[in-house]
């Protein structure tokens, strides 16, 4: 069974968090808090030294995780431990290709099989995906596609063919944590995607507040949102006071579950 | 040997290279590739570039017989391909002119670049001044500190310097930030990459623009020596000056080719930039090539006294040439490079940049009392003015006295 195949029809909430941030022990507490809200999807970011498609906040989170000597194996163990209280929440890994490559694709799959429902490899364009996609699909793990406002129609058609799980639509032409949200542009592009694919379309990059979540739901045909940077940012705003941060997370997640 | 024809249409040099970037960048790179293919057939573009090479850069750069150094080595006849005499003091300008002409053709109105030593930053700022385009240079704060003269140059030329505080605060991080800027400003911005690194089509494009070095050298050496050189030697960071010299000779199987990496405090230490000697294949900045990485694939910080070689990756074409054994790569330490820096200055009256000082050091070390009657071309890809403070400090000379 793959939880991503039974996502709700509307208002899907996906929460992104970097594994091992700010340390492995703290990270467990954060993910447990997230899980207690039973979001539709949790995205586990595997820390990478050079996350060029992420903004400075997530890069900083990666840096802190790596500084506490977090290895890929420890991240995968963490995800496995958390899966005991997974219930209906879908588990998705978000990472860079070098992490998978160096760990070994087969070993990687062995570690996440039956635990993780989907994987987003940020720097793996669809032109290069065939080998990995095949291996993943054999093990009932969906390779989630990213699509950007720069992706033209012809390319989108090829990219969306046979897509599973959900489509990650990058709302702002920008890296994670950008500011501007143009709802009419988002809506236009989401509708184009929906014509070519039947899986849910989630809007990510730049979603910061309950207001943004409601607007996406009201003003666009998107099926849900992905929140990442906004979750992590607050830790730095709170001067790295972990207890305060955990309380904030509780309130914030309750709020964005519309 | 089969005729050398790399990369393939999707930017692969053997298994190396490719385009490993997020979907926000893919459409841009494909568009860039298309535009680049188009201008390659454009005669007007070629003429414009050649005219700039001649009258703005001062090409062809001379091929100087380094008589004193040759005598000192007591081995081969050494020629310097003097790209350090180019306008702006290094080979970087060759590529920048090519790319800014392309940017203009594509209708881009804003230029960004990364820089390590500052040579590529200066070259980019220069061409932006010439063509009247706003210029933003990403530079690691560590490099800003050690390359002050170039920082001032860029500012004089009207560029905005954006200090990069993330990671190791040097070239690799500057490139991460520049890529982020590009993703954010995809519509109006052209990213001028300075080395044969990054995703396709950059490694090919930069090599093509730099190969004017090798084409000239080939013609020049045939004129004076009536034969091809026995050896080519160049330093390799990302690898643009080396690819520029090597590329037009790759089919000449009797020409032995040597790339010299910066080994920092030693290729076996943690403080090195010798990617191909100490690294393994991995993905950095959108390209599959040799990188310095740990067992988890995390990219390590590089170390070299030369900011221009201080990069934990290397161009995919070098990775390929290493694996097919067409080019041999060796490491030279900071200390060895500094010695060669002084030797060359005293013997030839040419103060080399710390980057080609690595190539010089290898030449002196490996060719001493050997390979007599052979001919070597070394790419003198940059001048040492920018390194005076760094070198003075390392040698122990008080420049303020």
């Amino acid at each position: 069974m793959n939880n991503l195949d039974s996502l709700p029809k509307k208002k899907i909430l996906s929460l992104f968090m970097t594994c091992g941030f700010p340390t492995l022990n703290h990270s467990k507490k954060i993910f447990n808090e997230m899980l207690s809200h039973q979001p539709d999807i949790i995205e586990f970011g595997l820390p990478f030294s050079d996350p060029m498609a992420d903004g400075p906040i997530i890069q900083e989170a990666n840096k802190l995780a790596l500084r506490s000597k977090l290895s890929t194996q420890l991240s995968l163990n963490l995800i496995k431990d958390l899966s005991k209280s997974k219930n209906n929440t879908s588990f998705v890994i978000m990472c860079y290709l070098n992490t998978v490559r160096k760990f070994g694709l087969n070993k990687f799959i062995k570690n996440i099989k039956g635990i993780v429902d989907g994987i987003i490899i940020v720097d793996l364009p669809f032109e290069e995906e065939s080998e990995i996609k095949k291996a993943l699909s054999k093990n009932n793990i969906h390779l989630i596609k990213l699509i950007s406002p720069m992706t033209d129609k012809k390319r989108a058609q090829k990219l969306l063919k046979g897509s599973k799980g959900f489509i990650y639509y990058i709302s702002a032409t920008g890296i994670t944590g950008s500011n501007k949200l143009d709802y009419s542009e988002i809506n236009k592009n989401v509708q184009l995607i929906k014509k070519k694919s039947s899986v849910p379309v989630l809007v990510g990059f730049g979603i910061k507040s309950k207001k943004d979540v409601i607007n996406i739901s009201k003003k666009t045909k998107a099926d849900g949102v992905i929140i990442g940077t906004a979750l992590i940012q607050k830790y730095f705003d709170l001067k790295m006071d972990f207890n305060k941060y955990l309380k904030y997370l509780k309130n914030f997640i309750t709020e964005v579950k519309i | 040997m089969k005729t050398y024809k790399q990369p393939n249409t999707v930017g692969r040099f053997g298994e190396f290279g490719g385009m490993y970037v997020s979907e926000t960048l893919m459409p841009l790179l494909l568009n860039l590739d298309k535009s680049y293919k188009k201008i390659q057939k454009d005669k007007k573009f070629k003429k414009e570039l050649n005219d700039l090479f001649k009258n703005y850069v001062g090409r062809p750069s001379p091929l100087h017989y380094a008589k004193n150094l040759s005598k000192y080595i007591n081995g081969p006849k050494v020629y310097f391909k003097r790209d350090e005499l180019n306008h702006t003091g290094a080979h970087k300008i060759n590529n920048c002119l090519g790319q800014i002409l392309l940017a203009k053709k594509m209708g881009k109105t804003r230029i960004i670049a990364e820089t390590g030593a500052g040579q590529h930053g200066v070259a980019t700022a220069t061409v932006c001044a010439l063509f009247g385009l706003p210029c933003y240079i990403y530079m690691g704060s560590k490099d800003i500190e050690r390359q002050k003269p170039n920082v001032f140059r860029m500012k004089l030329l009207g560029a905005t310097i954006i200090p990069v505080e993330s990671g190791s605060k040097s070239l690799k991080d500057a490139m991460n930030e520049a890529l982020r800027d590009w993703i954010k400003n995809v519509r109006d911005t052209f990213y001028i990459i300075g080395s044969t690194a990054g995703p396709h089509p950059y490694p090919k494009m930069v090599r093509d623009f730099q190969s004017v070095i090798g084409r000239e050298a080939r013609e020049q050496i045939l004129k004076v020596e009536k034969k091809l050189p026995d050896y080519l030697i160049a330093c390799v960071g990302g690898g643009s000056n080396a690819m520029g010299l090597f590329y037009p000779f790759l089919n000449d199987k009797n020409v032995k080719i040597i790339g010299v990496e910066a080994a920092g405090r030693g290729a076996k230490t943690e403080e090195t930039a010798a990617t191909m000697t100490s690294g393994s294949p991995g993905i950095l900045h959108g390209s599959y090539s040799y990188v310095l990485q740990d067992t988890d694939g995390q990219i390590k910080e590089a170390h070299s006294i030369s900011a221009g070689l201080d990069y934990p990756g290397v161009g995919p074409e070098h990775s390929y040439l290493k694996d097919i054994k067409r080019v041999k790569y060796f490491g030279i330490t900071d200390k060895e490079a500094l010695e060669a820096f002084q030797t060359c200055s005293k013997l030839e009256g040419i103060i080399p940049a710390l980057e080609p000082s690595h190539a010089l050091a290898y030449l002196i070390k490996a060719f001493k009392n050997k390979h007599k009657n052979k001919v070597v071309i070394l790419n003198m890809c940059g001048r040492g003015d920018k390194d005076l403070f760094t070198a003075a400090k390392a040698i122990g000379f008080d420049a303020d006295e």
Side-chain angles (χ1 to χ4, degrees), chain B residues 357-376:
Chain B
S357 295
H358 286 74
L360 280 162
Y362 181 79
L363 173 75
I364 294 168
K365 188 165 126 179
F367 286 70
K368 188 96 185 157
N369 303 322
K370 271 189 241 167
H371 306 295
K372 285 179 190 171
N373 306 319
K374 301 285 186 195
V375 171
V376 176

Side-chain angles (χ1 to χ4, degrees), chain A residues 49-50 54 59 72 128, chain B residues 12 23 176 180 296 298-299:
Chain A
S49 53
D50 292 78
D54 288 298
Q59 169 155 28
T72 306
E128 305 277 355
Chain B
R12 293 265 178 199
E23 187 55 27
N176 282 331
R180 285 186 183 129
D296 254 355
Q298 307 295 351
I299 308 303

Side-chain angles (χ1 to χ4, degrees), chain A residues 47-56 59 63 66 70-73 97-99 101-103 122-128 146-152 155 159 170 172-175 178 185 205, chain B residues 10 12 15 18-28 30 165-167 172-173 176-177 179-181 183-187 280-286 288 291 293-300:
Chain A
F48 181 51
S49 53
D50 292 78
M52 67 178 191
D54 288 298
Q59 169 155 28
K63 204 167 128 187
L66 291 174
L70 186 87
S71 63
T72 306
Q73 186 66 60
L97 183 56
N98 206 41
T99 304
R101 202 180 253 282
K102 196 72 185 170
F103 195 80
V122 186
D123 55 349
L124 178 71
F126 87 90
E127 286 89 341
E128 305 277 355
L146 291 156
I147 203 157
S148 97
M150 299 305 290
T151 313
D152 64 26
R155 184 174 169 78
L159 201 152
I170 303 156
T173 314
I175 42 180
S178 294
E185 195 198 4
F205 289 36
Chain B
V10 291
R12 293 265 178 199
E15 62 174 329
M19 302 162 117
Y20 294 99
V21 296
S22 71
E23 187 55 27
T24 35
L25 274 183
M26 262 322 270
L28 276 102
L30 293 170
E165 299 287 352
S166 59
K172 143 182 113 87
D173 311 283
N176 282 331
E177 289 302 330
L179 281 163
R180 285 186 183 129
D181 179 312
I183 295 174
K184 244 194 264 182
N185 300 291
V186 288
R187 289 184 174 91
S280 56
I283 293 161
L284 175 65
H285 296 141
Y288 181 59
V291 291
Q293 58 186 333
D294 69 11
T295 50
D296 254 355
Q298 307 295 351
I299 308 303
K300 288 190 196 170

